[in-house]
Amino acid sequence: MASGTPRPTWLLLLLLTWLASCTAQTPTSTAHQPAPEIVDSAHGFAIAVPPGMYVRHHFRRSYLGSTAWKSFAGEDAHGKPVLALVLDGSNAVTAAELRIGVGDDAAARMHCLDVPTSGVPARVSHVTLAGVPFTRFHTADAAMSHYLDVEAHRAVHDGRCYAIDLLVAGTRPEVYDPPASPPFRQDDARQHLHDALAGFRFL
C-alpha cells in the first residue's frame, strides 16, 4: 500500500480546464473592430479611415493633378481642400486617394455641379451618397507620360458645395529605366476608394 497523502489530481485537472476556457474567450483579433472615424463638425461630415489608408489635410502632390479644392477647378478659389484619404504605397508611379473639398460661398454653390470641358469628355450620372443626391462624372487627363483618372461627386447640401474625388494618378511605368513596378493595380486602387467612400456621412 502507498504511503503519504494522495495528490488532488482532480483539482489540478479542474484548474487546467478553467484556464483553457478563459484563454478561448480572450479576443485574439481586431478584424471586426470599426475603423477610426474623422469627424469634421466645421464642414458637416464624417468619414471612416479604412485599413490601408492614411489621412492628409492638403492636396499637394508630386504627380499630375492640381492642388485645388476640387478636380478640374482651374483657378477657382471658392472652396478649400479639407482632407484626403491616401492609399498606402502611393507614389509617383501610381497613387490613389479620396479627396474631399468644401466650398460655402455663393460662387461655389452656383458652380458646384459644373462638369469639366477639358480632358476626356466626362460621363455624367447621378447617385445618392449618405442620403443626398450627387452629380457624378468620370473623366481623365494626360500630359506627357503622366495620367489622371477621376470619378468626381458633387452636391450642394446644407448651404455648402461638397466635392468628393476618387483619384488615381501616376506615370506610365515603362518610361522608367529600368521599368518601374506600380505599388498596386489601378483596378484594386479604385475598389479601395469606393470602399472608403462608403464610410462617408453627413452630420
Side-chain angles (χ1 to χ4, degrees):
M1 177 184 294
S3 61
T5 304
R7 295 179 180 178
T9 55
W10 64 273
L11 286 175
L12 180 60
L13 289 173
L14 182 62
L15 178 61
L16 290 174
T17 302
W18 178 77
L19 288 174
S21 175
C22 291
T23 302
Q25 294 175 19
T26 302
T28 58
S29 172
T30 59
H32 299 294
Q33 292 184 357
E37 186 178 56
I38 300 294
V39 178
D40 190 325
S41 56
H43 297 102
F45 73 88
I47 189 166
V49 183
M53 302 189 82
Y54 62 93
V55 177
R56 282 184 175 172
H57 292 281
H58 61 80
F59 295 166
R60 295 189 299 275
R61 298 293 178 269
S62 60
Y63 41 81
L64 184 65
S66 74
T67 60
W69 67 287
K70 61 179 180 177
S71 295
F72 305 101
E75 299 302 318
D76 181 357
H78 294 279
K80 63 176 294 185
V82 178
L83 67 82
L85 299 183
V86 184
L87 188 61
D88 285 351
S90 290
N91 59 24
V93 180
T94 307
E97 58 187 73
L98 183 157
R99 293 180 171 183
I100 302 176
V102 178
D104 56 9
D105 67 9
R109 294 190 296 271
M110 179 181 299
H111 296 286
C112 187
L113 307 185
D114 289 355
V115 175
T117 56
S118 62
V120 176
R123 302 194 304 270
V124 182
S125 58
H126 301 280
V127 296
T128 298
L129 299 177
V132 172
F134 275 75
T135 294
R136 176 178 62 187
F137 62 85
H138 179 265
T139 189
D141 198 3
M144 300 298 287
S145 301
H146 302 278
Y147 66 88
L148 173 67
D149 184 276
V150 179
E151 180 183 312
H153 302 77
R154 306 283 186 264
V156 176
H157 174 69
D158 198 22
R160 300 183 178 99
C161 172
Y162 288 88
I164 305 176
D165 293 322
L166 311 186
L167 180 151
V168 178
T171 308
R172 297 202 313 272
E174 62 270 20
V175 304
Y176 292 87
D177 186 19
S181 298
F184 40 72
R185 297 176 61 249
Q186 293 185 29
D187 288 344
D188 293 339
R190 292 187 184 93
Q191 184 60 57
H192 280 294
L193 295 179
H194 279 101
D195 291 345
L197 182 59
F200 176 85
R201 66 183 179 88
F202 290 106
L203 301 179

